[in-house]
Amino acid sequence: MNVSAALDWLFSTQFFGIKLGLDNTGKLLAAADADRTDATVVHVAGTNGKGSTCAMIEALARAQGYVTGLFTSPHLVEFSERIRVNGNMIPPEALAEEIFFLKQLAEGWEQPPTFFELALAVALRHFRKSGVNFIILETGLGGRLDATNAVPKDIAVLAPIGLDHQQYLGDTLEEIAAEKAAIISPGKPAVTAVQSPEAMAVIERTARDRRSPLTVARADGETPRPSLSGAHQRENAALALETMRQLHALPSPSAAAAALA
């Protein structure tokens, strides 16, 4: 199966729609031997800026010497943008190989894996084979029932939360914040951007209930200015820097500034 045929099949699975829930994700990752990793895992949710935050965390991790795996969505031009190792998109031959493996694996399942579940499995398998030791996962939709939440994480990161995907996540900011804050893992640290009072109250309650140390990241005069345009990107940079600080993996100030630039 060449990469064109492989992607045709993968995109055809979008006809199965969105199925929120982690049972089938867990089944797929276990069957694909993609449910365990020795890498540090950073899990990012939010409404605004989560993609930029993921990119900045990845740049900081590379500056610190990690081999990074970045899983984001959606893509702009080609699917391979979603899966990167040290900034390099997954090669066509590796992409075709992983998709073909998963197609054979899940053939005949009563509940077929969704497009997003398959994409996540491709990424995790590619990361393992590439010797990745630092993974950044961006949620696709929400958090609590998003496929990425099936992967054990070392830290949860919450970008600014607003009203989005209300048909799936709820009608109020509190309901949506609860879905996204559910990526916080018991006993593991969490970092959040400055949030609206409604969202912050939910995040603080979730962290408290799960005994998760919570830090609020705030930009100040010492926060390096990233190359991405917009004043809000300094807030995203502060979130990325605080994430690395909580993981005890923050590069030197000069290396961090160079990475963000």
Side-chain angles (χ1 to χ4, degrees):
M1 178 180 280
N2 62 32
V3 69
S4 178
L7 284 170
D8 284 347
W9 176 81
L10 180 61
F11 281 107
S12 75
T13 64
Q14 290 180 316
F15 293 117
F16 298 134
I18 294 172
K19 297 186 182 74
L20 294 177
L22 301 181
D23 290 345
N24 215 44
T25 308
K27 175 184 175 182
L28 176 66
L29 296 184
D33 194 25
D35 59 338
R36 299 182 307 278
T37 178
D38 294 328
T40 297
V41 177
V42 177
H43 195 192
V44 182
T47 304
N48 302 305
K50 60 181 178 173
S52 299
T53 300
C54 285
M56 293 183 199
I57 294 171
E58 193 272 340
L60 291 167
R62 267 198 280 167
Q64 188 65 357
Y66 287 101
V67 179
T68 61
L70 177 63
F71 177 70
T72 59
S73 61
H75 59 273
L76 296 178
V77 179
E78 55 184 294
F79 177 86
S80 299
E81 296 167 24
R82 297 171 180 249
I83 301 168
R84 297 175 183 263
V85 171
N86 271 359
N88 299 311
M89 295 188 293
I90 181 171
E93 59 276 10
L95 180 57
E97 177 184 335
E98 297 300 347
I99 293 174
F100 182 62
F101 169 82
L102 294 170
K103 179 179 184 294
Q104 289 187 307
L105 178 71
E107 203 162 24
W109 283 16
E110 183 177 348
Q111 183 175 338
T114 65
F115 171 87
F116 193 75
E117 289 169 333
L118 290 163
L120 176 63
V122 168
L124 293 174
R125 284 176 56 83
H126 180 59
F127 294 162
R128 189 187 70 236
K129 292 178 181 180
S130 302
V132 162
N133 56 14
F134 194 104
I135 295 173
I136 306 101
L137 301 176
E138 179 188 8
T139 56
L141 194 159
R144 180 174 66 92
L145 299 177
D146 189 81
T148 54
N149 205 27
V151 182
K153 82 288 306 264
D154 293 280
I155 191 166
V157 181
L158 294 163
I161 295 170
L163 295 174
D164 69 337
H165 298 295
Q166 287 160 269
Q167 69 272 38
Y168 297 107
L169 304 181
D171 294 322
T172 68
L173 194 56
E174 289 87 350
E175 289 173 326
I176 292 170
E179 290 292 318
K180 294 178 187 286
I183 71 166
I184 295 174
S185 190
K188 300 289 187 179
V191 181
T192 181
V194 175
Q195 305 281 356
S196 67
E198 300 94 329
M200 188 62 80
V202 172
I203 293 167
E204 289 174 340
R205 182 172 65 248
T206 303
R208 186 168 57 250
D209 291 347
R210 299 184 181 190
R211 293 179 169 82
S212 168
L214 176 67
T215 305
V216 180
R218 304 176 189 273
D220 58 27
E222 302 299 314
T223 304
R225 184 176 298 279
S227 59
L228 299 173
S229 61
H232 61 286
Q233 295 294 0
R234 290 193 74 180
E235 298 294 336
N236 295 334
L239 185 58
L241 289 162
E242 188 58 44
T243 298
M244 298 300 289
R245 184 176 292 111
Q246 293 300 317
L247 291 171
H248 307 291
L250 187 64
S252 68
S254 60
L260 294 175

